[in-house]
Amino acid sequence: MRARATAAVVAARCEQLSARDRPGADDGRRWGLAVGALAVAWISAIALIGPLLVEREIDASQAAAADQNIASAIDHAERARSIEPWAASPYVQLGLLAELEREHDYVLLRGGLDGSEWSRFCLRQADRVVVLTPATPPPAGLAPPDGCDVLFLEAPTTEDVAAWFARADVRTHHVVPVDTELSAAAGRVARRLTGQSLGLVLSGGGARAFAHIGVLEVLEGEGLEIDRLGGCSMGAFIGAMTALGWRPETMIEVCRRELAQRAPFSDYTIPRHALIRARRAASMLKRMFGELALEQLARPLYTVSADLVSSRMVIHRTGSIVDTVGASMAIPGLAPPVSRESQLLVDGGVLNNLPVDVMVADEPGPVVAVDVMRRLDSAGVHLEQGPLLPTIVETLSRATVLGSVERAEANRLLADVLVAPDVQDVPLRGFRSLDRAVDAGRRAAEQALADGALETIEEARRLGAPVTIAAAAHS
């Protein structure tokens, strides 16, 4: 295999439609780009195959935008000669595939789940299999291969996702909205499949987590697309807004209204289970996120909580955003635990306040971590000077993450880029310090960029392993 000249050298155009599926003149627009170089042409194919799967016309400009978006995301694209597998014996197909794999980092095969010889060849030879489907459950009798990715065209229901995961050992799923978000979502899938997706992990930290918004603003200004997200506590809260595609200015406006002005953590009660009822916080989350679930997001997000029953970290990849973010924010003693089946869930910061390890274990690609709960430097602090004692809420908030400080230090080292805003002067419950925290995030992100963050991200993308991908469409 030749060396890469840039972040990625894309694959060959290596398969065409089977003889019975060759397009006629009327279908040329839909099938013309059915297969192509790496994810560039493959995701472009989604834009054209999409109408057949979801019975919706796709505007030609959207398809062109998807192609351009992914071409720029991959950074460099080139096409090779076409081969026609329906006219070749299995031995010739294997030889051609071996040649393509020697010459290119990524190879795309397009087949189906129809049991044909070519489809079986694709499934045997591919390192990764992606099943394209409309947002529906799998039809009766369909047997997706174990370990496959499932790509939904349009947002699925939670029942749709559960049905596919129940039918096979699905590796992960992708959501590509067939609308104005097509271009961005297509580029995201391309980067994830080629090990170049940019992950962002946001720590917990109360009001200090507002600094995440400042970091996001700077990263967005540099043209960096966040492809996958993970968060703990208030980091999960900011992460959910990011996953929904909210712009930083919108996040600031919403946080000012919902947290600084409405004070959702102030419904105090006689402390039998906790200091607050947390009903106002639940109402806030409901207003913001409604009925959406994690598995419906085009930009994947996980949150973490801690189970008081099993003493284990719980990673939430599915379920209501209201419930999963709420559990991740439930500071023990301040808010009551969230009951879910046999679990009692509290703030994930108890066990893992900066869950970079979860992100790194998920899939390859560069990871940026933002930590707003750095270990305090006690140098120069003298007890005889009588430092001000924190409030009970501050004490509970700080005590929540004490047990995960060492883990956070180790997780910092796992990130390709670490951003650590200086927000020690922002009280953990100081939600009216929104602007100060956001400014601190901006400064920290700008410093990270000055220290070579962009170069580090690009270098991490160059390390993605070569892969052969088989895309199987079912309608």
Side-chain angles (χ1 to χ4, degrees):
M1 184 188 73
R2 69 185 184 189
R4 302 183 187 193
T6 56
V9 179
V10 301
R13 178 181 293 269
C14 61
E15 198 269 322
Q16 298 292 335
L17 299 175
S18 64
R20 62 184 173 82
D21 287 335
R22 290 184 185 180
D26 293 340
D27 297 323
R29 185 181 71 83
R30 289 182 172 182
W31 289 102
L33 292 177
V35 178
L38 178 67
V40 178
W42 176 61
I43 299 297
S44 296
I46 292 176
L48 301 174
I49 294 171
L52 298 181
L53 297 184
V54 299
E55 299 180 355
R56 170 187 281 184
E57 290 295 325
I58 304 301
D59 185 82
S61 64
Q62 293 182 15
D67 193 27
Q68 182 179 9
N69 178 282
I70 297 161
S72 63
I74 299 302
D75 186 55
H76 178 72
E78 67 178 27
R79 293 183 176 181
R81 62 187 177 85
S82 299
I83 63 173
E84 297 189 356
W86 57 80
S89 71
Y91 297 104
V92 174
Q93 291 174 356
L94 194 58
L96 289 170
L97 179 59
E99 177 186 341
L100 291 168
E101 288 180 335
R102 282 193 301 271
E103 294 180 354
H104 301 278
D105 288 341
Y106 305 100
V107 176
L108 172 75
L109 306 173
R110 180 186 177 273
L113 298 177
D114 54 4
S116 67
E117 181 179 334
W118 171 250
S119 294
R120 292 197 303 271
F121 174 83
C122 292
L123 296 179
R124 284 196 308 270
Q125 299 301 322
D127 300 301
R128 192 160 181 176
V129 176
V130 184
V131 178
L132 283 70
T133 177
T136 60
L142 182 70
D146 285 340
C148 70
D149 293 35
V150 175
L151 190 153
F152 293 98
L153 292 165
E154 295 192 315
T157 66
T158 57
E159 292 79 9
D160 294 336
V161 178
W164 279 92
F165 275 76
R167 184 69 61 87
D169 182 15
V170 175
R171 175 175 179 168
T172 188
H173 77 284
H174 312 263
V175 177
V176 176
V178 189
D179 56 19
T180 56
E181 296 299 315
L182 171 65
S183 176
R188 189 173 307 119
V189 174
R191 290 187 291 272
R192 290 183 66 191
L193 289 175
T194 56
Q196 299 180 66
S197 63
L198 179 59
L200 179 66
V201 180
L202 306 177
S203 79
R208 296 174 182 177
F210 287 147
H212 296 321
I213 302 175
V215 174
L216 286 162
E217 184 179 282
V218 172
L219 296 182
E220 182 183 283
E222 288 294 322
L224 287 172
E225 290 277 351
I226 306 302
D227 299 310
R228 48 202 173 102
L229 291 137
C232 176
S233 195
M234 276 292 291
F237 177 77
I238 302 295
M241 291 189 283
T242 308
L244 287 169
W246 293 12
R247 301 292 302 277
E249 55 267 29
T250 301
M251 298 184 202
I252 293 173
E253 178 185 345
V254 171
C255 288
R256 192 183 310 280
R257 180 179 67 248
E258 296 290 349
L259 290 164
Q261 298 174 359
R262 288 182 169 171
F265 304 110
S266 61
D267 51 346
Y268 292 99
T269 183
I270 298 175
R272 180 182 179 188
H273 301 294
L275 291 178
I276 66 172
R277 296 183 179 88
R279 293 173 185 170
R280 290 183 184 174
S283 296
M284 172 191 71
L285 295 175
K286 193 75 171 178
R287 284 193 299 272
M288 293 176 62
F289 305 124
E291 302 297 328
L292 283 172
L294 294 178
E295 59 265 45
Q296 295 177 293
L297 297 172
R299 186 182 284 108
L301 165 71
Y302 66 82
T303 69
V304 297
S305 63
D307 180 19
L308 294 180
V309 177
S310 66
S311 301
R312 295 174 184 266
M313 179 178 68
V314 178
I315 304 170
H316 303 278
R317 304 182 191 277
T318 62
S320 160
I321 296 178
V322 170
D323 293 341
T324 55
V325 171
S328 190
M329 295 172 62
I331 295 175
L334 175 63
V338 175
S339 178
R340 190 185 73 169
E341 298 177 350
S342 61
Q343 298 173 318
L344 289 175
L345 305 176
V346 296
D347 193 305
V350 171
L351 296 177
N352 196 350
N353 196 52
L354 185 66
V356 180
D357 50 342
V358 179
M359 177 74 74
V360 170
D362 275 353
E363 57 187 72
V367 175
V368 175
V370 186
D371 189 4
V372 298
M373 287 293 285
R374 297 182 300 174
R375 188 195 299 267
L376 290 174
D377 183 2
S378 59
V381 177
H382 303 286
L383 294 179
E384 61 269 17
Q385 294 178 353
L388 293 175
L389 292 176
T391 65
I392 185 172
V393 174
E394 291 276 329
T395 299
L396 290 171
S397 300
R398 170 62 67 174
T400 294
V401 299
L402 280 181
S404 66
V405 167
E406 297 299 331
R407 187 170 188 172
E409 293 291 330
N411 281 347
R412 280 170 159 236
L413 301 177
L414 295 176
D416 296 285
V417 174
L418 174 69
V419 183
D422 185 1
V423 285
Q424 300 307 315
D425 61 336
V426 176
L428 292 172
R429 299 287 106 184
F431 295 110
R432 294 188 177 181
S433 300
L434 170 65
D435 294 326
R436 196 191 330 165
V438 171
D439 285 341
R442 292 190 187 105
R443 291 193 299 271
E446 289 166 353
Q447 184 60 54
L449 292 174
D451 292 340
L454 289 178
E455 292 78 5
T456 300
I457 290 171
E458 289 308 310
E459 179 61 29
R461 283 176 164 160
R462 291 188 182 97
L463 300 179
V467 64
T468 295
I469 301 168
H474 109 81
S475 56

